[in-house]
Amino acid sequence: MSEPSVLWETWGEHEAILLKPPRSPRRVPPPVPRTAVLFPRREGFYTELGGFLPEVRLRFETYGRLSRRRDNAFLVFHALTGSAHLAGHYSDEVFARLSPLEQAFGREGWWDALVGPGRVLDPALHYVISANHLGSCYGSTGPTSLDPRTGRPYGKDFPPLTIRDLARAQARLLDHLGVEQATVIGGSLGGMVALEFALMYPERVRKLIVLAAPPVHGPWARAFNRLSREAILKDPGFAEGGYERQPEGLKLARAIAMLSYRAPASFQKRWADDPAQGESYVVYQGEKFARRFDANTYLVLSQAMDTHDVGRGRGGVEAALARLKGIRSLFVGIDSDLLYTKEEVREMARLAGGRYQEIQSPHGHDAFLIETDQVERILDSFL
């Protein structure tokens, strides 16, 4: 694989090393994020684990228009620390109105290379929707949001969530937008939400695309999540969730997680001549992350990931995945993914009766964000 000539860091999910071409006129127009009240106070939102939210809002962005036949919608789910900002570059006016955390996330969308004129997600052909997950900190209802009952941020009192809660909130967004069916796409945590969405609302899914996500959040992945949470919880600055500024433990949590998002070959490729730079890199990523994310949010969403099991209450994983055979589906593994291995993704595709394709990359789990040329070819061949 030839080495692209331009590389830089992005504020996007996992701080991926994006190897991207220069900006071009093929970008989408500057997007304008919107917020929808999907579960108003007269209704509220009861979580799967018994919690209650008096109101649920989701921040979202759309690209393109819904066709008259209402058959061109794509719903894209982001990963753990992503946002609704899928593509485009915020204007100065829009950027100035964003929250400090949204501003710290950055002006550029996290999958910008895939959305635009002539791209696989072309707004001239498709109505592309991307919403910030319930429980996140980029405009949707989450721990940093004000509890309407108290007027104060939920903080540590935000109720625990499951992946199915996240899928249910996204389904209500489709109702709000007048979309009956959509092609659903997600990677990592977003892939888990896509799986649950398809199992909960099969009649609403035209096609299903899952990248770098498992049917069950297994012991290896849960161990990384547990270590990251312990780094936060054991930091005195966390103050049992009542911190006034982001605790130092959030930096360490991110540094730990970064090791699961990459692979040894990626570090060797970049720092073989100066191995100490690999250490500095993960520390640096933790420091950047603490400027753009929230510790209570990290706890809520990482714990939601640990609830992920498509077989729960459905007779087991094999029985659950068999329900997807009526949906045209694509499952994308990554040859160097240490977090959710290519073998488990391939087996999931087999059980679901879907197509399996693979990203070839030294960069590990983050490759679905890094290798955008490969991702576009794979998606284009399926769509």
Side-chain angles (χ1 to χ4, degrees), residues 10-16 77-85 101-102 104-106 110 131-133 135-138 166 187-190 225 250 253-254 257-258 261 285 288-290 292-295 297-299 301-302 305 365-366 368-369:
T10 178
W11 287 111
E13 171 60 19
H14 303 333
E15 309 295 352
F77 303 124
H78 67 74
L80 174 61
T81 68
S83 79
H85 188 30
L101 287 178
E102 289 175 293
F105 187 90
W110 56 268
N132 187 224
H133 288 307
S136 189
C137 57
Y138 295 124
L166 274 57
S188 195
L189 166 62
N225 268 2
L250 182 61
R254 182 60 165 191
M258 283 297 299
Y261 300 151
Q285 295 302 330
K288 288 207 302 183
F289 183 67
R292 74 164 183 91
F293 213 70
D294 171 67
T297 299
Y298 193 95
L299 297 178
L301 289 180
S302 70
M305 293 175 76
H365 181 66
D366 267 349
F368 78 96
L369 297 164

Side-chain angles (χ1 to χ4, degrees), residues 354-376:
R355 181 191 298 185
Y356 174 77
Q357 290 192 247
E358 195 167 289
I359 297 168
Q360 308 293 318
S361 174
H363 297 304
H365 181 66
D366 267 349
F368 78 96
L369 297 164
I370 297 170
E371 308 286 1
T372 51
D373 287 346
Q374 287 191 59
V375 172
E376 183 164 40

Side-chain angles (χ1 to χ4, degrees), residues 181 192 195 290 327 358:
Q181 276 194 328
M192 300 176 204
L195 281 166
I327 299 173
E358 195 167 289

